[in-house]
Structures are given as structure tokens and as C-alpha cells.
């Protein structure tokens, strides 16, 4: 699968995107496209272009949601609100294109209930896949400044594991979980150091689900 990612909130011309996508799909062992973008970067023309590939290729659009709370989105300078995601997801779904949402656990000032509200609202939307990320501190960022001033505290590993399990319980079983934590670059990471041990985190999530006798979707709709 060829993966494309956009960080700009401006639309790329459809003809430019088509040229890029066609070039990638011309490679013999490429079977589809996965386009990672912001929900405010999509318009009808781009969705029509992606829809045109569906007969012959697997197509996913990955939208960075991060949180359903507009205050959190403003605090991390996302540049769009939750309704932008809702509109993009519904328009993408109407064209039969697979949707993967990205969320971040541990955003500043978000409580456990805030995080679970993101899960509940996400569960009501036409989302086919989900990638869950830990908020970690990267060198040279405003978050590093807050962390150094002790104005932001990273999640502990146990707390993150518990939140992931809480989140999964509220996500419908039909949703494909594509990621349970991120992959920080060691040379860029400030904190938390435990985030580098992805294997251990995944093992703890499995063990916690088993200990709780719970599973993805157990509390979906409730």
C-alpha cells in the first residue's frame, strides 16, 4: 500500500494528487492507497478522485482527529474543530472509502471522562479503523517548555494502559484497531522514557484486558 501524508490545511490540486497516486499505483506490488490528512484538507474533488480507484485498489483515508473536544484541539493548534472531522468522515463514508481515525491520549487538561467521551462519540461515527497514540514530549516543542516548567505531566505507563483498555471497551468490535501506541524517535524524545518500550506496553494492554475479562466493544453504546 502506498502511503501519503498531508499536514497543510490547503487543498492540493486534484490533478497533482492524481499524478502522484497513479505513479505509486503503477508499481507492481502496490495494492492500494492510504492517505493521511487533516479533516479540513478534503473536498469533493479529492474524494471523487479516491473513489475512482475503489474498483481496482484498496483505499483508506486517515484523519487526524486527536480529540472530540474543541478546547483541546485549540490548545494543540490543530486549526480545525470536531465538526470538521464529522463532516469529512460522513462525506468520505458516503463514497464508500475506508476511514481510519487517529486519537491521542494524555492531552493537556483532559480528564479520563474527556477521553472516554472521545471514544463514545467516535463509536457513533462511520469509522472503519482506529490508531491510538500516546502524547509524548518531543525536543524543541512548546510541550517541552511546559514539561520543563512542570506545567505538563506525562501519563505513567500503567495509567496509559488502563486508559487504552477503557477506550477499547467503548469502540465497536467492527472497528479495526491499527495502533495501540506510538513510536517516538529516541533521539527526539524528552519524556516519558517508558514509551520506547512498545513491546512491554502492548503486553501490559493484553494482560489488563485478560485480567478485567473485557474486550473491544464490551461497553460500546453505553
Amino acid at each position: 500500500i502506498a502511503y501519503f501524508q498531508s499536514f497543510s490545511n490547503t487543498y492540493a490540486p486534484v490533478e497533482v494528487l492524481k499524478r502522484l497516486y497513479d505513479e505509486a499505483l503503477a508499481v507492481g506490488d502496490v495494492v492500494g492507497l492510504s492517505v493521511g490528512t487533516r479533516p479540513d484538507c478534503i473536498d469533493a474533488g479529492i474524494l471523487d478522485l479516491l473513489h475512482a480507484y475503489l474498483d481496482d485498489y484498496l483505499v483508506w483515508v486517515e484523519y487526524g482527529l486527536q480529540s472530540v473536544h474543541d478546547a483541546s484541539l485549540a490548545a494543540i493548534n490543530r486549526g480545525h474543530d470536531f465538526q470538521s472531522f464529522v463532516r469529512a468522515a460522513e462525506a468520505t463514508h458516503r463514497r464508500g472509502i475506508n476511514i481510519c481515525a487517529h486519537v491521542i491520549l494524555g492531552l493537556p487538561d483532559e480528564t479520563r471522562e474527556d477521553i472516554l467521551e472521545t471514544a463514545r462519540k467516535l463509536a457513533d461515527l462511520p469509522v472503519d479503523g482506529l490508531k491510538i497514540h500516546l502524547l509524548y514530549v518531543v525536543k524543541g516543542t512548546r510541550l517541552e517548555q511546559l514539561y520543563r516548567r512542570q506545567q505538563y505531566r506525562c501519563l505513567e505507563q500503567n495509567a496509559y494502559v488502563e486508559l487504552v483498555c477503557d477506550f477499547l471497551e467503548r469502540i465497536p468490535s467492527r472497528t479495526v484497531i491499527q495502533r495501540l501506541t506510538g513510536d517516538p524517535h529516541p533521539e527526539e524524545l524528552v519524556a516519558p522514557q517508558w514509551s520506547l518500550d512498545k513491546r512491554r506496553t502492548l503486553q501490559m494492554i493484553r494482560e489488563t484486558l485478560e485480567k478485567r475479562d473485557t474486550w473491544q466493544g464490551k461497553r460500546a453504546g453505553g
Side-chain angles (χ1 to χ4, degrees):
I1 295 179
Y3 183 75
F4 295 85
Q5 192 161 14
S6 168
F7 296 100
S8 171
N9 62 351
T10 58
Y11 297 160
V14 172
E15 59 271 18
V16 172
L17 294 176
K18 186 176 189 306
R19 184 167 66 249
L20 290 171
Y21 298 160
D22 287 349
E23 180 180 354
L25 293 170
V27 178
D29 58 351
V30 172
V31 299
L33 295 170
S34 182
V35 179
T37 188
R38 296 159 49 111
D40 55 335
C41 289
I42 285 290
D43 62 13
I46 296 172
L47 290 175
D48 288 343
L49 170 63
L50 293 172
H51 179 267
Y53 293 110
L54 289 180
D55 287 341
D56 301 305
Y57 299 100
L58 176 66
V59 179
W60 282 81
V61 175
E62 301 191 22
Y63 289 121
L65 168 60
Q66 319 313 354
S67 172
V68 302
H69 303 288
D70 288 343
S72 294
L73 298 178
I76 62 175
N77 297 317
R78 283 297 298 174
H80 64 77
D81 59 10
F82 174 52
Q83 285 306 311
S84 296
F85 176 86
V86 173
R87 289 191 295 269
E90 291 176 346
T92 305
H93 176 70
R94 285 195 295 269
R95 287 167 172 80
I97 301 169
N98 293 316
I99 301 165
C100 178
H102 291 236
V103 297
I104 297 176
L105 307 190
L107 291 172
D109 299 323
E110 284 206 351
T111 65
R112 175 180 178 274
E113 183 55 35
D114 291 332
I115 292 170
L116 298 187
E117 182 67 12
T118 291
R120 285 190 287 267
K121 288 187 176 180
L122 193 61
D124 291 333
L125 292 170
V127 171
D128 306 287
L130 175 63
K131 291 185 177 180
I132 302 174
H133 302 262
L134 162 73
L135 182 63
Y136 51 81
V137 182
V138 174
K139 293 177 182 178
T141 62
R142 182 167 174 264
L143 185 62
E144 182 187 13
Q145 297 173 10
L146 295 175
Y147 176 77
R148 299 294 186 194
R149 295 198 297 263
Q150 299 185 353
Q151 293 176 314
Y152 174 73
R153 183 177 179 180
C154 299
L155 288 173
E156 299 291 341
Q157 191 173 27
N158 285 334
Y160 180 75
V161 167
E162 294 289 339
L163 281 171
V164 169
C165 294
D166 291 339
F167 205 95
L168 291 175
E169 287 179 332
R170 290 157 177 83
I171 298 298
S173 59
R174 67 177 183 276
T175 306
V176 180
I177 305 301
Q178 299 185 13
R179 180 175 295 164
L180 289 170
T181 188
D183 297 285
H185 297 287
E187 65 275 12
E188 297 178 351
L189 181 69
V190 175
Q193 289 301 308
W194 64 260
S195 62
L196 295 173
D197 191 358
K198 186 174 183 177
R199 183 185 298 273
R200 175 58 183 155
T201 301
L202 296 178
Q203 179 61 30
M204 289 174 66
I205 292 170
R206 285 192 290 268
E207 291 173 353
T208 301
L209 291 172
E210 291 174 359
K211 182 179 179 180
R212 289 188 187 183
D213 188 26
T214 194
W215 54 87
Q216 178 186 342
K218 183 177 183 179
R219 301 180 187 276

